[in-house]
Amino acid sequence: MSEQNYKAFWDEALNQIHEEYKQKGNESEFSLWFNMEYLEDNSTEIKVTVPSEFMWNQMLTRGIVDIVINKIEELTGIKITITSIVKQKKIAMSTDEGTVSREESVPKNLVQTEYKEEHIENTEETSPKKLKKHPDLSEDFTFETFVPGDNSNFAYNACLAAAKEPGTRYTPILIYGGVGLGKTHLMESVGNYIYQHNSSKTKICYITAENLMNEFIKGLRSNTMENFKSKYRNIDVLLIDDIQFLNNKEKFQEEFFHTFEALSQKKSQMIFTCDRPINEIKSIDERLRTRFSKGMCIDLTAPKYETRIAIIQKKLENLNQTIPQDVIEFIAKNVESNVRDLEHCILNITGYSDLTHETVTIDKAKELLRDIFTQSLPGSITIDTVQKVVADHFNISLSDLKGKKRNKSVVFPRQIAIYLARVLGDYSFPDLGIEFGGRDHTTAMHSFNLVEDALKSDDNLQSTIDLLKREIKDYKK
């Protein structure tokens, strides 16, 4: 095809996508992440210009490029690829015809000097030198890129010890905690470390429990279970994400138990992640529960303020980006739940700076990050939501939680619910007293203080509070 044959389709695709984002109230997101300018095309490819390599990588990671590709295929019936060229800053160039700027007509043979070409698929010549890449593991997840703190030192050191001496004292390891705290990062760091330092014959497998389950079902249906058993019972390092997915899967648990036993006999290194302690997974085979419990069970909690600062600084260093210190502190103070939200904030801030070439102020940061911070605003979480989640967690009725019963099985959850409603919703003690059985505000205050004091020394209670916070926030979605 001739140059610009796809131009009309490109314009129409972007217009339609823009309208879709606008209707959803995400116009600012469209402006930020669809920052591509059509340059040229051939029969199978459209070439675009983008502000930076960083922005292009984010467009790929977030699926922005795929959205455009799919829309063009929808309009044309043809599947194309999109490659990028990073436009450099404007400078004057001398030619035989005189000095020209970037906007002026430049001879075709000089056009390539304006851009640094960045294709979707890197080549050995253009890629920076990296360690060997394991097909199942993310090369971004290493011990060097993880920032340990008081919340994660135990998990970090246990995983590092397992990586250095796989299959010895530190197997199995079960890391549990909420979303975005670094469980997968640490687990894959072990795999990457072993892959770099051990024989290439070492069999390393990373898989989610859900995908493992799907393979198991496929093996049953296709009568190829012997292949499944042979594959997973001969692994040297088994890394499984989200084992809470085992819940209520009786046949799968039976097979998983035998795999576990085979790998234990083989002295393989096993590491698992879960969103909760193993004893909170209700329908799990008692033999499996015992096997997990005999290993190292490590709670990964939310990072404290100082650790959040260090994480932000490390992420910026990895991205080769900088933002003002007061903005770093602003993010760290407002994002307490997990590392993933911190990363989201960093990408929004650095993306804006990259596009506008402006230094982000506190006011601009508030504007850019308001959607992320919304759940922290007073009133965004209702007392009713807190009561429902806490009652369900402790397996008591909502009426008992809000009522007058004084037995310990009810009083303790009620105190926790009052604490959480105060912390997450910023409700007044008189309001809390009314919502919890018409109690006096001093009773609500007493309940809050009891929990607050207990948290200073009770790590198990802190884990319960962290888990409930996540469940309450997820309940809203």
Side-chain angles (χ1 to χ4, degrees), residues 129 139 275 436 441:
K129 291 183 178 179
E139 54 195 331
D275 67 352
F436 284 86
H441 76 279

Side-chain angles (χ1 to χ4, degrees), residues 5 10 45 106 164 191 194-195 258 342 345 355 383 394 425:
N5 197 63
W10 173 270
E45 174 189 84
V106 181
K164 291 180 177 180
I194 293 172
Y195 189 61
H258 292 299
L342 288 176
C345 291
L355 286 169
I383 295 176
F394 287 99

Side-chain angles (χ1 to χ4, degrees), residues 188-345:
E188 290 199 41
S189 294
V190 174
N192 276 318
Y193 186 98
I194 293 172
Y195 189 61
Q196 301 303 326
H197 293 84
N198 287 48
S199 167
S200 59
K201 295 181 180 179
T202 302
K203 297 177 183 177
I204 302 171
C205 174
Y206 163 78
I207 191 169
T208 65
E210 183 175 10
N211 286 339
L212 185 63
M213 170 71 176
N214 291 337
E215 278 195 43
F216 171 73
I217 293 172
K218 184 178 179 181
L220 289 175
R221 289 177 175 173
S222 61
N223 199 28
T224 56
M225 277 304 298
E226 288 306 314
N227 293 339
F228 180 91
K229 293 176 182 179
S230 175
K231 175 181 177 180
Y232 286 103
R233 296 185 188 183
N234 289 289
I235 287 172
D236 299 304
V237 181
L238 180 61
L239 313 170
I240 301 182
D241 240 336
D242 298 324
I243 62 161
Q244 68 272 7
F245 191 79
L246 294 171
N247 198 24
N248 291 317
K249 312 291 192 309
E250 293 181 8
K251 289 185 178 180
F252 181 44
Q253 287 186 36
E254 175 72 21
E255 174 57 31
F256 187 77
F257 170 77
H258 292 299
T259 298
F260 192 110
E261 289 294 279
L263 295 182
S264 294
Q265 292 294 323
K266 190 176 181 291
K267 297 190 181 302
S268 297
Q269 179 64 51
M270 291 181 281
I271 303 181
F272 311 101
T273 73
C274 189
D275 67 352
R276 70 201 79 166
I278 195 68
N279 58 10
E280 290 185 14
I281 302 179
K282 297 175 183 177
S283 299
I284 189 169
D285 188 299
E286 192 58 36
R287 295 176 302 173
L288 276 177
R289 192 190 308 276
T290 301
R291 298 304 186 278
F292 285 127
S293 300
K294 283 184 176 179
M296 300 183 74
C297 297
I298 306 173
D299 184 11
L300 201 60
T301 59
K304 294 182 180 179
Y305 174 74
E306 294 79 6
T307 305
R308 297 197 295 273
I309 291 284
I311 290 170
I312 294 171
Q313 292 172 334
K314 183 67 174 181
K315 298 293 181 184
L316 289 169
E317 178 185 331
N318 292 339
L319 292 170
N320 196 26
Q321 297 275 344
T322 59
I323 61 177
Q325 183 63 27
D326 59 346
V327 174
I328 291 176
E329 294 172 0
F330 170 72
I331 295 172
K333 288 176 183 176
N334 284 276
V335 179
E336 301 178 5
S337 55
N338 63 64
V339 177
R340 198 166 297 165
D341 284 347
L342 288 176
E343 292 175 337
H344 191 184
C345 291

Side-chain angles (χ1 to χ4, degrees), residues 13 36 49 165 183 212 250 261 280-281 285 306 308 320 350 354 373 395 457 474:
M36 295 176 273
T49 61
E165 300 180 58
K183 302 186 299 297
L212 185 63
E250 293 181 8
E261 289 294 279
E280 290 185 14
I281 302 179
D285 188 299
E306 294 79 6
R308 297 197 295 273
N320 196 26
T350 54
D354 220 9
F373 295 163
N395 198 27
S457 57
D474 288 342

Side-chain angles (χ1 to χ4, degrees), residues 33-153:
W33 296 115
F34 287 83
N35 199 283
M36 295 176 273
E37 293 182 12
Y38 177 93
L39 181 64
E40 60 186 19
D41 66 53
N42 57 43
S43 60
T44 61
E45 174 189 84
I46 293 176
K47 187 172 291 185
V48 299
T49 61
V50 294
S52 68
E53 180 182 355
F54 167 74
M55 286 298 295
W56 176 245
N57 289 333
Q58 288 304 308
M59 290 174 191
L60 291 173
T61 301
R62 293 168 177 265
I64 300 300
V65 177
D66 287 336
I67 291 173
V68 180
I69 288 173
N70 292 336
K71 180 62 70 173
I72 292 175
E73 182 180 11
E74 182 183 312
L75 293 172
T76 65
I78 301 172
K79 190 79 169 181
I80 53 91
T81 59
I82 299 178
T83 56
S84 73
I85 286 177
V86 178
K87 194 171 185 178
Q88 301 298 308
K89 294 180 180 180
K90 298 176 184 178
I91 58 172
M93 295 188 301
S94 298
T95 72
D96 293 339
E97 301 172 8
T99 301
V100 295
S101 67
R102 296 297 185 195
E103 289 80 20
E104 294 175 352
S105 177
V106 181
K108 184 68 176 177
N109 65 335
L110 291 180
V111 170
Q112 293 303 317
T113 65
E114 296 185 27
Y115 305 97
K116 175 185 174 183
E117 188 165 358
E118 298 292 336
H119 292 284
I120 294 177
E121 296 182 2
N122 290 320
T123 65
E124 289 184 1
E125 293 180 357
T126 59
S127 298
K129 291 183 178 179
K130 295 181 180 180
L131 298 175
K132 56 184 180 179
K133 169 78 170 64
H134 188 279
D136 293 343
L137 302 172
S138 168
E139 54 195 331
D140 294 329
F141 290 160
T142 66
F143 289 112
E144 289 75 20
T145 58
F146 189 89
V147 180
D150 290 342
N151 65 308
S152 58
N153 275 328

